[in-house]
Amino acid sequence: YLPKPDREISYREVLRLVLDGLEPNDRLMLLDGVRLDVAAQLTIPEGEVFRKNPSARARACARELADLRKFFAADISHPPEMEGAVQVPQVLGLCASHLRSPTQAITVVILGSPFYVDADGAFNMLAGYVPSDQHLRVTTRQSVYGTANRAGALQGMTVHYAYLHEAFEHAEHREAVARFWSLFVQCQQGALASFAASPTVVFQRATIGVQDRVMPVTLDERDREFIKRRIKHVPSEISGTKTNRLPVLPEALPPNT
C-alpha cells in the first residue's frame, strides 16, 4: 500500500541489494506487509562469477527480478488510513515461523509506515497513539502486540525498519514509537537494529550486518494500564533520546477506541 514514489525508491534499494549487496547463496524473500504473501523470492547463485558481478546476477535472476519489479509497480486500491501500512507483528511472526528454519539467523527489512493499522482498528497507532507497555506483557489473544506467549520467537532475527517519512507529531512521539517497536522485538529475543526514514541508510546498515539494538530499552514497571495513549510534547532547547522513561502521557484511551 505504498504510494508510487515510495514504491520506486524501495524498488531501487531492493534491486541494489540484489545486484551488489547480497553474497552468493544468500536468499531474499519479498513479503507483502498487509496480505502476508510472498511476492517474490530469489537466491544469488553460487560461484565467484556472481560475487561482485551485477550483470551476471541480473541475467541469472531475470525472471525473479521481473516478479520484484511487478510487485513494486502494482498500484493497489486501499482505504486512506492504510497508506503505507505494514502489519509488523504478523510479518515478523510469519518470518520467524514459516520463512526460516528454527532459530536460523535472519535479517528483516521493513519498508513502510511506523504506525500499525488494520481493518479492525482496535490496536491502531494512528493520530499519535502509542500502546502502553502492558500490551507487551499479555498474550497474542489479548493484544496484537502481545509477547507473553512468544518468548524467544524472534531469536536470531535482526530487524531494520525504514519508515520512509517523518510523520511523527514531535520528537517525543518518534522516541516513543521507536521504543515500543524496540521492546516488541526485544521481548521476543530479537533486535531492532535500525529505525530511520531513509531506506538507503537502512539498507546500508542491513548490508554491512549491523546487529546492535538501536536503543537500550526495558519494560516500564509502572506502566500497567492496558491502553494506548498520546505522547506529550515537552518543549526543550536540546532534544534527543535520553532515557527509557516515557514523557507525561495526558490523554489515554482504551485499545478499542
Side-chain angles (χ1 to χ4, degrees):
Y1 294 169
L2 294 176
K4 185 177 180 180
D6 290 345
R7 296 200 310 270
E8 292 175 346
I9 292 171
S10 299
Y11 169 71
R12 289 198 298 268
E13 293 301 330
V14 174
L15 184 63
R16 182 181 292 116
L17 176 69
V18 172
L19 298 182
D20 196 39
L22 299 177
E23 294 293 324
N25 210 37
D26 280 352
R27 184 186 183 197
L28 179 140
M29 302 185 74
L30 185 65
L31 187 68
D32 187 303
V34 176
R35 293 178 294 182
L36 304 179
D37 54 12
V38 177
Q41 57 183 311
L42 60 84
T43 301
I44 304 300
E46 292 187 80
E48 285 301 313
V49 67
F50 297 107
R51 185 166 298 280
K52 292 295 179 181
N53 191 333
S55 296
R57 292 187 180 191
R59 289 192 298 270
C61 301
R63 184 177 62 182
E64 293 86 351
L65 291 177
D67 290 339
L68 189 151
R69 176 61 179 171
K70 181 179 179 181
F71 172 77
F72 281 110
D75 190 3
I76 303 171
S77 61
H78 56 272
E81 64 271 16
M82 295 294 290
E83 183 89 344
V86 180
Q87 297 188 343
V88 173
Q90 296 90 329
V91 166
L92 297 185
L94 183 62
C95 289
S97 63
H98 288 78
L99 303 185
R100 66 169 181 173
S101 57
T103 69
Q104 177 188 13
I106 185 175
T107 299
V108 178
V109 178
I110 299 173
L111 295 162
S113 171
F115 311 129
Y116 179 85
V117 59
D118 60 24
D120 179 65
F123 299 100
N124 287 359
M125 294 171 65
L126 300 177
Y129 285 92
V130 180
S132 67
D133 285 12
Q134 189 64 16
H135 281 264
L136 302 169
R137 294 188 178 97
V138 301
T139 70
T140 52
R141 293 184 61 128
Q142 298 166 282
S143 172
V144 71
Y145 310 111
T147 67
N149 59 328
R150 294 186 55 77
L154 304 187
Q155 183 177 358
M157 180 181 292
T158 304
V159 181
H160 298 268
Y161 206 136
Y163 51 79
L164 303 178
H165 299 281
E166 295 290 350
F168 305 99
E169 295 191 350
H170 41 69
E172 292 84 359
H173 181 213
R174 182 196 181 281
E175 180 176 346
V177 174
R179 175 185 176 276
F180 183 79
W181 287 127
S182 294
L183 279 168
F184 176 78
V185 176
Q186 181 175 298
C187 285
Q188 300 173 75
Q189 296 185 23
L192 180 66
S194 299
F195 190 75
S198 170
T200 300
V201 169
V202 170
F203 271 99
Q204 286 175 344
R205 289 172 61 85
T207 300
I208 65 176
V210 174
Q211 295 182 323
D212 293 337
R213 291 183 169 91
V214 74
M215 62 193 303
V217 290
T218 57
L219 289 170
D220 188 343
E221 292 303 318
R222 304 165 303 165
D223 192 7
R224 295 280 179 171
E225 292 184 88
F226 190 66
I227 59 174
K228 55 184 182 181
R229 38 166 90 92
R230 298 196 70 174
I231 306 301
K232 182 180 179 180
H233 174 49
V234 181
S236 174
E237 294 183 1
I238 301 176
S239 62
T241 301
K242 297 176 282 299
T243 72
N244 183 55
R245 291 186 177 182
L246 290 171
V248 177
L249 309 169
E251 300 179 45
L253 289 175
N256 60 354
T257 56

